[in-house]
Amino acid sequence: TFARPPLRRQWRLQRRAWREALRLGAGVYHLHDPHLIPLGLALKARGARVIYDVHEDYREHARTKLAGKPVRAHAKSGLWLALEALARRSFDRFVCVSEPIASRFPAGRVAIVRNYPRVDELADPTAPPYRDRPPTVVFVGVTTRWRGFLDAVRAIEVVPDRLDCRLRLVGSVRPAQLVAEAATLPGWRRVEVVPWQPRAGVARELGRARIGLAAFHPVPNQCDPSGSNKLYEYMAAGLPVIVADHGGWRGLIESAGCGLAVDARDPRAIAGAIEHLLSRPDEAEEMGRRGRALVESRCNWDAELERLLWLYGTLNGHRSPAP
């Protein structure tokens, strides 16, 4: 459930991607992984056009992930820097999740496409009414130390017993050793772990929770909410959210009135926000409605799809203005 694919499996997946890409013989390829930049260069050499999709700042991610290993961090960050420099010179178009990332690529060949959900993809029609749901806080996706995993476990212990609150983790924990560390904490008895789920399973989990948690530490790639599909998935499901108070998170949540912003490194602050929302179900449900309304009106995939299709159109010489 928790382990990252071993290195041997990662290389096996890379080889499979190469075989499939070369077998297809397509005219256009859309790559989503920096490990596939060498494949993109090989496809360009064969006459194909290549779109590189950039979901985060991989250089800064390497420094954060390997913070205790400066030599490896510097080497991996340098590797991504070199690969992206080759991509900038060679690839035809770029899809970026935010303005800061887009600024690193040629302006005439880039589109910003945010990680917004489809409006109804995560709305479970079988979900019970909000007030009838168990007092569950849900976290969906990959969780790490800097995504607040241990802080969430510590926070759930501080929530008053009378609320009978549970933290439900749907996805995986990286690295796997964090699970053993968390299991030593008193709050672990209130944690429920669910393995990866298909989209219908995620919708079901969200439809049986009361709060969505996305309180990330102020590290690179975690300061811009536009790159967090997790946040907008909670909102699409009508859940009030608890987020970090740094970067653009607080401004977004306060302007929409759809949740609470706290110090992500303070378990007691997180616990206080959980208690506030569980103790005031009417207010929490109204926050969830406002978040859902924001997704319906603006932060949804339909608008992003227009930009993506426009970018594809430019490969065929279309000169219409960007949406």
Side-chain angles (χ1 to χ4, degrees), residues 286-306:
E286 181 58 31
M287 287 180 175
R289 288 196 193 101
R290 295 189 196 113
R292 169 72 183 176
L294 180 62
V295 170
E296 289 177 335
S297 64
R298 182 162 57 89
C299 299
N300 62 71
W301 177 242
D302 290 345
E304 306 310 300
L305 178 59
E306 289 184 19

Side-chain angles (χ1 to χ4, degrees), residues 25-85:
V28 178
Y29 292 84
H30 189 142
L31 306 180
H32 287 260
D33 192 311
H35 296 86
L36 294 178
I37 290 177
L39 170 59
L41 297 172
L43 294 171
K44 284 293 297 180
R46 294 167 66 96
R49 288 177 289 182
V50 175
I51 300 171
Y52 177 45
D53 201 321
V54 196
H55 295 276
E56 56 185 302
D57 187 330
Y58 295 105
R59 295 172 296 173
E60 292 299 331
H61 176 74
R63 294 190 183 105
T64 300
K65 181 180 176 182
L66 299 171
K69 303 173 182 177
V71 175
R72 286 185 59 191
H74 182 74
K76 194 165 187 179
S77 177
L79 173 63
W80 296 142
L81 179 65
L83 286 174
E84 285 198 347

